[in-house]
Amino acid sequence: MENEIFTPLLEQFMTSPLVTWVKTFGPLTAGNGTNLDEYVALVDGVFLNQVMLQINPKLESQRVNKKVNNDASLRMHNVSILVRQIKCYYQETLQQLIMMSLPNVLIIGKNPFSEQGTEEVKKLLLLLLGCAVQCQKKEEFIERIQGLDFDTKAAVAAHIQEVTHNQENVFDLQWMEVTDMSQEDIEPLLKNMALHLKRLIDERDEHSETIIELSEERDGLHSLPHASSSAQSPCGSPGMKRTESRQHLSVELADAKAKIRRLRQELEEKTEQLLDCKQELEQMEIELKRLQQE
């Protein structure tokens, strides 16, 4: 996205309730930083990893790159650490399963200065907010929210509802420990699980198709250098043309391989979630039958 288009979008994003909230943990930059400076501090992941450490001081120490200097790979490394810690905190500490799609680390790393990039950062802040208002220090963090102006406070409260009461975003697993649920309570849970199961299957199939398409593109890239080796270039020698072609194709091939690895990882995660949902659904059906027999 061009700078003149991204600038007003950036200004709007940096005054949004989620960004205003996360600033209650401390300044994003030293001194009077611009909106761009503060946004870079967010997407680089250093500040947000420090926020997560305040939320969960028991986090295992992981190496976060302090100086990113607009390096996409370093930025992705930092954000990946944060996403893993958030996911782990929801599952292991809060006993909740994140059903919404996780923040896209690749987009935040490679294309943060875009509308899609800000949407992924918003998703990251939303999940971080859910951790903050449910952790052991929640009273302290909620008190900070109470200190915001009325409109911002109301908007943050609405965001909290998204990650604490919306089962389509975050699914509460604590109901599995309840032994005296009525049929009226079980039926909506079954319906909700079935909807999640369908969505996961659709996503799995979509990712599988994408992997196949990328594999076909990769195979095509392997064969192209041989076909182009005999081509004559009007602007240079055939040898130079072949070298440039191979370099260009090598870059495309490396990018395709990276995409395939990312999609395979996402597919494995979705498949794992699918299996977990299937097991939970089976347990619920068994429990429902037992209750009906009683």
Side-chain angles (χ1 to χ4, degrees):
M1 181 176 291
E2 298 295 334
N3 289 336
E4 59 269 20
I5 300 177
F6 181 68
T7 298
L9 176 65
L10 175 64
E11 293 176 354
Q12 181 181 2
F13 179 76
M14 293 307 295
T15 57
S16 65
L18 285 174
V19 175
T20 303
W21 162 74
V22 84
K23 286 183 179 180
T24 62
F25 285 87
L28 293 174
T29 59
N32 297 322
T34 64
N35 282 335
L36 181 59
D37 294 332
E38 292 186 337
Y39 182 72
V40 169
L42 284 178
V43 298
D44 281 354
V46 179
F47 176 82
L48 294 183
N49 271 289
Q50 293 173 349
V51 171
M52 190 62 199
L53 186 59
Q54 291 186 51
I55 294 172
N56 183 17
K58 298 179 181 179
L59 280 176
E60 294 182 4
S61 176
Q62 296 192 50
R63 184 178 177 274
V64 175
N65 296 287
K66 302 293 185 181
K67 297 181 179 180
V68 175
N69 294 325
N70 203 32
D71 187 310
S73 61
L74 297 181
R75 184 183 294 125
M76 285 189 289
H77 173 79
N78 289 349
V79 178
S80 295
I81 291 176
L82 178 61
V83 171
R84 284 196 300 268
Q85 290 175 342
I86 290 175
K87 180 181 177 181
C88 181
Y89 191 78
Y90 271 95
Q91 290 186 1
E92 297 184 5
T93 304
L94 302 178
Q95 294 297 299
Q96 297 170 357
L97 187 65
I98 299 176
M99 303 304 296
M100 61 184 284
S101 60
L102 292 173
N104 191 313
V105 175
L106 191 63
I107 292 177
I108 297 176
K110 290 189 174 183
N111 195 24
F113 307 107
S114 65
E115 183 175 2
Q116 193 175 10
T118 59
E119 286 299 316
E120 296 305 316
V121 177
K122 178 182 177 181
K123 200 182 301 181
L124 193 61
L125 296 177
L126 181 64
L127 291 172
L128 199 60
L129 174 63
C131 293
V133 298
Q134 298 180 92
C135 70
Q136 292 184 349
K137 299 170 64 179
K138 61 183 178 182
E139 290 82 5
E140 174 186 344
F141 300 140
I142 291 175
E143 185 177 352
R144 295 180 187 177
I145 295 174
Q146 295 295 336
L148 301 173
D149 65 80
F150 179 81
D151 290 339
T152 303
K153 182 166 53 178
V156 172
H159 284 309
I160 292 174
Q161 292 288 321
E162 293 182 55
V163 284
T164 57
H165 290 79
N166 189 338
Q167 297 288 317
E168 293 183 4
N169 291 332
V170 178
F171 190 79
D172 192 350
L173 298 177
Q174 295 183 9
W175 63 268
M176 297 177 63
E177 300 176 0
V178 180
T179 58
D180 57 347
M181 291 183 66
S182 65
Q183 184 173 347
E184 290 76 13
D185 293 330
I186 292 178
E187 286 181 355
L189 283 173
L190 284 172
K191 181 179 180 181
N192 199 16
M193 289 299 297
L195 291 174
H196 286 317
L197 192 60
K198 180 182 180 300
R199 182 175 63 83
L200 289 172
I201 291 174
D202 291 341
E203 290 181 357
R204 179 202 63 186
D205 295 341
E206 181 182 349
H207 290 324
S208 298
E209 291 175 1
T210 304
I211 290 174
I212 293 173
E213 291 174 0
L214 289 173
S215 299
E216 291 175 349
E217 291 179 8
R218 179 195 61 186
D219 295 339
L221 290 173
H222 277 305
S223 61
L224 280 176
H226 303 289
S228 62
S229 61
S230 59
Q232 298 294 323
S233 171
C235 302
S237 65
M240 182 179 296
K241 181 67 176 180
R242 286 195 297 270
T243 300
E244 293 176 352
S245 177
R246 289 194 182 98
Q247 290 175 344
H248 178 70
L249 291 170
S250 296
V251 172
E252 291 186 352
L253 179 59
D255 186 55
K257 287 181 176 179
K259 290 180 180 178
I260 290 172
R261 286 195 297 270
R262 177 176 61 83
L263 288 169
R264 282 177 177 169
Q265 182 179 359
E266 291 180 357
L267 179 60
E268 290 174 357
E269 291 177 354
K270 296 296 183 183
T271 302
E272 183 179 350
Q273 290 181 358
L274 176 62
L275 291 174
D276 291 340
C277 290
K278 184 179 179 181
Q279 291 176 357
E280 293 167 7
L281 186 58
E282 290 174 351
Q283 291 176 358
M284 290 174 64
E285 290 176 346
I286 294 172
E287 182 66 17
L288 180 59
K289 290 179 180 178
R290 184 184 67 80
L291 291 172
Q292 290 174 339
Q293 291 174 356
E294 293 179 355

